[in-house]
Amino acid sequence: MAVHILFDFDGTLVDSLEVAFTAFRQVGPEFGCTHLSRERLERLRGMHALEVVHALGVPMYRLPQLATRMRRAMRADLMETAPIEGIGEVLETLLQRGHRLGILSSNARASVHAYVRRHRLPGLDAVIGGTGLFGKAGALRRQTRVQGIEPGRLVYVGDELRDLEAAREARVRFAAVAWGYTPLESLAAAGPDFQCRHPRDLLSIDVEMP
């Protein structure tokens, strides 16, 4: 039976960590954020996004503005950053198996569409963007309702604890990837439905689905 699979964008389809790190070092001081070194970044990667925001000294009311400035600073470099190695072939195989694919991201929809076209990622024409950093659960619930998808037949693929929590809140399944922002060990401790150490591991999702 076909499975609906939605992918997070940053860290899941594209290795954007270096681009985000550079952008934060440029933009963060404008918002009074504390200095971010590479060593400190590594320590923060296992933490929840809310803990990271607190550690960096970002007032919650300024978070949307910071996120907007970050995306603007990242846009050009991100477009030139290659997709995760092997993800294109995996997407093609999932399509051939009859699965429905898409992207659900806090990034602007137009920017994600432009990236997908530029790098010719197959099957990702359906893009839900602009969800906000903590608005993915609502977006996932809307998808199950509007598309008439049984929650258990929708899988969200992501690389952060907030992605996992959004999937859990929306009662959809979650596939944690090892190549993104949060170490797989931290994601595994939170109990994802699937663990993917390599993009090809995504091909086991339909086998493991009930």
Side-chain angles (χ1 to χ4, degrees):
M1 183 183 297
V3 178
H4 297 254
I5 305 174
L6 289 176
F7 292 84
D8 170 50
F9 181 67
D10 281 316
T12 301
L13 294 174
V14 55
D15 185 3
S16 55
L17 181 61
E18 185 64 27
V19 176
F21 175 70
T22 301
F24 184 84
R25 284 167 65 96
Q26 172 189 336
V27 173
E30 300 176 22
F31 293 82
C33 298
T34 57
H35 176 69
L36 181 63
S37 65
R38 291 188 181 277
E39 293 77 13
R40 192 178 186 204
L41 173 64
E42 288 304 311
R43 293 196 299 271
L44 294 175
R45 288 179 65 181
M47 297 167 60
H48 189 281
L50 285 173
E51 295 176 309
V52 173
V53 168
H54 178 74
L56 293 175
V58 184
M60 288 301 294
Y61 76 93
R62 301 200 71 186
L63 188 57
Q65 186 182 3
L66 172 61
T68 298
R69 288 283 286 110
M70 282 282 294
R71 292 188 198 104
R72 193 179 304 152
M74 291 172 61
R75 190 171 298 149
D77 288 340
L78 195 59
M79 287 296 290
E80 300 301 322
T81 304
I84 297 297
E85 185 176 357
I87 199 69
E89 294 84 350
V90 168
L91 294 172
E92 189 63 52
T93 301
L94 290 170
L95 282 174
Q96 292 171 0
R97 293 181 180 180
H99 303 308
R100 296 179 61 182
L101 312 180
I103 297 173
L104 189 148
S105 171
S106 56
N107 293 60
R109 183 173 180 270
S111 297
V112 176
H113 259 306
Y115 184 93
V116 167
R117 289 194 301 268
R118 182 182 182 90
H119 294 277
R120 300 180 181 179
L121 293 176
L124 297 176
D125 298 324
V127 176
I128 303 103
T131 62
L133 290 177
F134 302 104
K136 291 184 175 182
L140 287 168
R141 283 194 297 267
R142 282 192 295 277
Q143 281 302 295
T144 60
R145 183 173 65 252
V146 172
Q147 300 294 333
I149 307 169
E150 181 184 342
R153 303 302 299 177
L154 173 61
V155 178
Y156 188 44
V157 183
D159 69 315
E160 292 189 51
L161 289 167
R162 65 187 176 98
D163 296 333
L164 187 153
E165 290 179 355
R168 184 173 293 159
E169 186 177 337
R171 300 177 63 191
V172 306
R173 294 178 181 272
F174 183 73
V177 303
W179 53 86
Y181 172 76
T182 305
L184 185 59
E185 292 74 16
S186 297
L187 290 168
D193 298 282
F194 310 99
Q195 297 182 38
C196 303
R197 296 189 175 277
H198 185 278
R200 63 175 172 268
D201 294 337
L202 290 163
L203 300 177
S204 68
I205 284 177
D206 55 355
V207 175
E208 298 180 30
M209 290 288 284

